[in-house]
Amino acid sequence: MAILEHSKRRMQPSMRMFVLSSPWLSLFFVIIASAAALGRVDNIIDLTDKTFDSINDAFGHKPMLILAQEGHHKNNKAMESFRKLSKDQILRENGIMLATIDTKDNRMLRARMNIKTADSPTLFYLSNDRLYRYQGDLSSASHMRSYALKGYENNSAEKIMGASLWLYLNTICVEFLYYNNE
């Protein structure tokens, strides 16, 4: 305790403010806040309406391979193949993160990414705010891996809708419905 008090006295007031308001401290809190999403044993991130943008920003918009389906932990062939990818060293070396979205519980992400629940499960590759839909075999981890490494380039990209635009459009729709039902 005495050492801590001694170091506080020796630190300039401007330096104390820098330590408290450092951007590194903000980044630390973002990473800690997303730790719940990263807490899975299989190194697959659970994306939600609330965490998607902060996780995407915190990791510098790294490319993500995203499996969207009803229920994160469904035991189906697509999820089994996706779990195999979580151990893939080449995907890690290329900086490709793996993530899932529960389309049932995350309405905003479903709308922003134009995910149809009838198409569940669906695989996406997200890079630089561009979304590429996988059209191949979801039971094959090797096909998913090839798609994430280069195959996505053969598909047309969709721009992912920003959260603020989605909220604005959603508000307009709600107001329209409210005033037209009076």
Side-chain angles (χ1 to χ4, degrees), residues 11-30:
M11 190 183 295
Q12 298 293 325
S14 61
M15 191 63 169
R16 269 189 240 138
M17 183 56 85
F18 171 77
V19 170
L20 294 175
S21 65
S22 168
W24 293 107
L25 187 60
S26 300
L27 178 61
F28 173 75
F29 284 119
V30 167

Side-chain angles (χ1 to χ4, degrees), residues 78-96:
M79 193 63 203
E80 289 173 21
S81 299
F82 203 67
R83 283 189 184 114
K84 288 178 187 173
L85 291 177
S86 70
K87 299 175 182 108
D88 192 294
Q89 188 61 33
I90 294 174
L91 289 179
R92 283 190 202 145
E93 288 171 2
N94 283 283
I96 299 171

Side-chain angles (χ1 to χ4, degrees), residues 36 57 80 113 145 149:
D57 291 342
E80 289 173 21
M113 297 172 80
R145 178 178 178 258
L149 294 173

Side-chain angles (χ1 to χ4, degrees), residues 17 21 31 40 68 72 81 111 135 150-151 156 170 173:
M17 183 56 85
S21 65
I31 291 172
R40 292 179 48 178
H72 281 296
S81 299
Q135 304 297 325
K150 280 289 186 190
S156 59
N170 194 40
C173 289

Side-chain angles (χ1 to χ4, degrees), residues 52-65:
F52 176 78
D53 290 309
S54 60
I55 288 174
N56 204 17
D57 291 342
F59 290 101
H61 296 269
K62 280 189 173 185
M64 280 190 221
L65 194 60

